[in-house]
Amino acid sequence: MQVKCVLCDIVETIEDYSLQAKRLRNRKINMYLCNSCNERIKDRTLQRISTGKFRFFEEKKNEDELI
Ligand SMILES: [Zn+2]
């Protein structure tokens, strides 16, 4: 299936039966990030954790337990 990155509008093709495609179809995730944006966000998140300003949201955890 074709997916569009929400950050840079690049269109990529991903495997129809990949976990990511399945999640997009089931609306478990409703946005797609290309690899480079993914890397960028991961880097930023790691930086935030290392500065100690990163917060984990408890609400998210509760949602996951229901699945
Ligand atoms: Zn992107």
Side-chain angles (χ1 to χ4, degrees), residues 2-18:
Q2 285 203 316
V3 285
K4 195 174 170 192
C5 174
V6 290
L7 290 185
C8 62
D9 279 356
I10 225 172
V11 175
E12 288 189 336
T13 306
I14 58 172
E15 290 283 338
D16 278 351
Y17 299 104
S18 68

Side-chain angles (χ1 to χ4, degrees), residues 5-10 12 32-38 40:
C5 174
V6 290
L7 290 185
C8 62
D9 279 356
I10 225 172
E12 288 189 336
Y32 175 78
L33 293 178
C34 70
N35 281 332
S36 57
C37 289
N38 238 332
R40 228 166 41 212

Side-chain angles (χ1 to χ4, degrees), residues 36-66:
S36 57
C37 289
N38 238 332
E39 285 298 309
R40 228 166 41 212
I41 283 182
K42 207 165 71 192
D43 285 352
R44 233 185 277 165
T45 306
L46 289 176
Q47 266 171 23
R48 247 151 63 189
I49 290 174
S50 66
T51 60
K53 283 176 186 166
F54 188 82
R55 286 185 203 166
F56 291 98
F57 295 100
E58 293 297 324
E59 293 92 346
K60 195 80 187 161
K61 210 176 118 194
N62 291 337
E63 262 177 34
D64 288 343
E65 282 168 2
L66 295 173

